[in-house]
Amino acid sequence: MSQRTLQESLVSSFGVRLARVEAFLGLTADSDGEAPQIRAYNEYVDEYLPPFLSACKQLGDSALELGRLLEKAFIAQRSFLFQASQCRRPQTIRPADFDSLLEVQSCIEEISKIRDNRSEFTNHQNMVYEAVQALGWLCVERTPKPAVDSFVEGLDFWGNKIRVKYKTSSLDHIAFVETLKSLLSHLAEYIKDYHLVGVTWNPKGGDVTNYTPGAASPAKAASPAAGGMANVFAGIKSIDQSSGKTAGLKKVTKDMQTWRKDYKPEGATPTPAAPAAAKKPATPVKITKPAVCEERNGNWQIEYQTGPEPLTVSGINMKQQVYIFGCEGATILLEGKAKNIVFDSCKKTKLIFDNAVSSIEIVNCKGVQVQCKGVVPSVAIDKTDGCLVYISWEGREVQFVTSKSSEMNVAFPQGAGSDDYVEKPIPEQFVHKITDDLSISSDVSSLYSH
């Protein structure tokens, strides 16, 4: 590599890093009033959103509507980021104070409403619903990227179902999965580069209450001296040591350096300034969503239930699926025999049900308890931390399928008619070995041998 090429490469790399610093400090904007983080967002969306919309178009109207709503949410996301690039950060960020955040919230609700467990696109709908919820990072402080990463991982739960169903029959469905995951994965990368500790605001911008969409950027009116880090470096570069510009500067001797122990100022020692009071961390914004318990398209939808008062759903039949989502500290009783049950993204919630024809799926939960009073053939536990499953004596032949989960336990009676339960841990540690025939053998760790 020639010296000139190396210099150009270093300058280009430095320019990228400088743009990120300026984006973080909210210092610069281009001639259109767009800060570096907005230009980067435009480039990201232009590259990764169209392939997903194209995949939706190939699958017909149902998928096309999902694409339209997700695109609408991404447009609202850009509006909020642009407003942030023009304004100072407010003390609290409440969705009700920002039209763009309300628009994102509206898109999430619309996608939730069109989900239909009887539709052939039910997995597609749930996958998009999982993805659009990731836009909640706009209200997350300090660690927004991990919040998005968790939703990227959650996409695989629904995406794998689509892959298995269509891997040999339709590549368009596979493209839907891959382009949506790519869109969300690169959103996480964009956040890492430009919003590492939360949405980047403009410390020299205007007040959010006075913001008008389409208004000129406050940064454009700033003087050249405050035009960003680039001007700082330009100023340093303009100092020419050989031209005599620094000839009049006085040399600082050791006795003038105040940080040294032997420094003795003339007169009284100045009183040190009182340390500035530490800023209190902003209280995280928690959005309370309305509780839902309704029969929708022939299936039961239960969402955002809270509180100790038990919720009882009666009359469930073998043709109905039950989908439980986002509940916290709730107790839910299902009476009847459901086709299958999905217990998704719940915390410290108790679920008690009579019977299920096929399975119960426990996904993205924390500290939950599930009790089957009758029989359920299969229990699937995925991405869950803390789960206790009670099984009846009649249902003891149940099988468990687990992945990426911890602190799983199962409790069952000591015998027929017994009220005494035995609780056993479900293994999460295994020993794998390469055998003589070059296959892999797997055994439960000795930790579970007693």
Side-chain angles (χ1 to χ4, degrees):
M1 181 183 292
S2 67
Q3 185 71 17
R4 182 178 180 82
T5 304
L6 178 60
Q7 289 177 347
E8 291 176 349
S9 175
L10 291 173
V11 169
S12 176
S13 176
F14 179 75
V16 172
R17 294 175 182 269
L18 180 59
R20 291 177 182 174
V21 172
E22 291 177 336
F24 179 74
L25 297 176
L27 292 175
T28 62
D30 61 16
S31 58
D32 295 325
E34 290 186 348
Q37 65 267 34
I38 303 303
R39 295 197 299 273
Y41 182 83
N42 293 341
E43 293 170 1
Y44 149 70
V45 170
D46 289 345
E47 182 173 355
Y48 296 103
L49 184 58
F52 172 68
L53 298 178
S54 177
C56 291
K57 186 176 181 181
Q58 295 297 321
L59 297 179
D61 293 342
S62 296
L64 203 59
E65 177 66 7
L66 293 173
R68 183 189 69 81
L69 290 172
L70 191 64
E71 181 182 25
K72 185 178 177 183
F74 269 73
I75 292 172
Q77 178 176 232
R78 184 196 182 280
S79 298
F80 180 75
L81 293 175
F82 185 79
Q83 182 175 358
S85 73
Q86 304 288 300
C87 302
R88 296 189 302 274
R89 189 190 186 284
Q91 288 186 345
T92 57
I93 301 174
R94 297 178 300 178
D97 295 337
F98 297 89
D99 292 340
S100 49
L101 290 183
L102 290 176
E103 185 71 18
V104 171
Q105 208 170 44
S106 173
C107 292
I108 294 174
E109 292 172 358
E110 285 188 63
I111 293 174
S112 176
K113 288 179 181 178
I114 65 175
R115 288 184 297 164
D116 181 1
N117 290 332
R118 295 182 301 176
S119 168
E120 65 171 316
F121 286 95
T122 181
N123 292 322
H124 302 68
Q125 294 163 354
N126 285 319
M127 190 176 182
V128 173
Y129 183 60
E130 187 89 11
V132 75
Q133 290 181 92
L135 303 195
W137 77 270
L138 296 169
C139 294
V140 176
E141 298 178 8
R142 300 184 185 279
T143 56
K145 183 179 181 294
V148 176
D149 286 337
S150 66
F151 284 102
V152 174
E153 294 175 1
L155 291 181
D156 282 333
F157 178 78
W158 305 107
N160 287 339
K161 292 186 176 184
I162 298 173
R163 291 186 183 102
V164 170
K165 186 175 181 180
Y166 295 102
K167 63 181 178 181
T168 58
S169 59
S170 176
L171 294 179
D172 290 336
H173 291 272
I174 306 301
F176 177 94
V177 173
E178 299 301 333
T179 54
L180 180 54
K181 186 173 182 180
S182 177
L183 176 66
L184 209 62
S185 299
H186 285 89
L187 174 62
E189 292 303 313
Y190 163 76
I191 293 169
K192 177 184 176 182
D193 289 341
Y194 293 95
H195 307 278
L196 186 60
V197 292
V199 171
T200 299
W201 294 79
N202 186 347
K204 297 187 178 182
D207 194 295
V208 291
T209 57
N210 299 326
Y211 174 77
T212 303
S217 168
K220 293 172 68 176
S223 64
M229 295 297 291
N231 287 336
V232 175
F233 285 104
I236 294 173
K237 186 178 179 181
S238 67
I239 299 176
D240 184 358
Q241 296 283 352
S242 63
S243 64
K245 291 183 180 179
T246 60
L249 297 180
K250 185 178 179 181
K251 182 178 180 180
V252 179
T253 58
K254 287 185 178 181
D255 61 326
M256 297 179 182
Q257 296 172 356
T258 59
W259 55 272
R260 292 184 176 275
K261 291 182 179 180
D262 54 354
Y263 171 69
K264 296 180 180 180
E266 296 180 5
T269 304
T271 304
K279 290 185 178 180
K280 294 182 179 180
T283 305
V285 178
K286 186 173 182 179
I287 302 173
T288 303
K289 298 184 179 180
V292 175
C293 180
E294 61 184 13
E295 193 172 355
R296 186 184 299 168
N297 298 320
N299 297 304
W300 279 97
Q301 201 83 14
I302 303 170
E303 299 179 357
Y304 308 117
Q305 300 292 331
T306 58
E309 190 68 26
L311 171 68
T312 303
V313 181
S314 305
I316 300 173
N317 61 59
M318 296 171 59
K319 295 182 179 180
Q320 292 180 311
Q321 296 178 335
V322 180
Y323 184 73
I324 304 169
F325 178 82
C327 300
E328 185 170 353
T331 301
I332 301 170
L333 288 77
L334 306 180
E335 297 180 351
K337 189 171 187 178
K339 181 179 179 182
N340 76 294
I341 302 168
V342 178
F343 197 32
D344 187 2
S345 301
C346 296
K347 295 180 181 179
K348 299 180 181 179
T349 297
K350 298 178 182 178
L351 171 63
I352 303 170
F353 66 97
D354 291 342
N355 298 278
V357 175
S358 60
S359 66
I360 176 170
E361 300 174 23
I362 305 169
V363 188
N364 291 323
C365 291
K366 290 185 178 180
V368 296
Q369 295 183 23
V370 176
Q371 179 178 357
C372 177
K373 296 163 66 176
V375 176
V376 59
S378 175
V379 176
I381 306 174
D382 182 49
K383 298 186 184 72
T384 292
D385 298 321
C387 176
L388 174 57
V389 181
Y390 290 91
I391 298 297
S392 68
W393 178 254
E394 295 77 12
R396 65 187 182 280
E397 294 183 0
V398 62
Q399 70 171 8
F400 289 84
V401 180
T402 66
S403 62
K404 297 182 181 179
S405 299
S406 63
E407 299 179 36
M408 301 172 289
N409 293 276
V410 57
F412 46 88
Q414 290 184 345
S418 174
D419 292 330
D420 296 327
Y421 276 71
V422 178
E423 184 174 328
K424 296 287 186 180
I426 297 176
E428 56 186 273
Q429 186 179 87
F430 300 86
V431 178
H432 308 283
K433 296 180 181 178
I434 301 175
T435 62
D436 293 338
D437 61 354
L438 302 183
S439 61
I440 301 294
S441 68
S442 300
D443 299 299
V444 176
S445 169
S446 59
L447 292 173
Y448 302 94
S449 60
H450 56 278

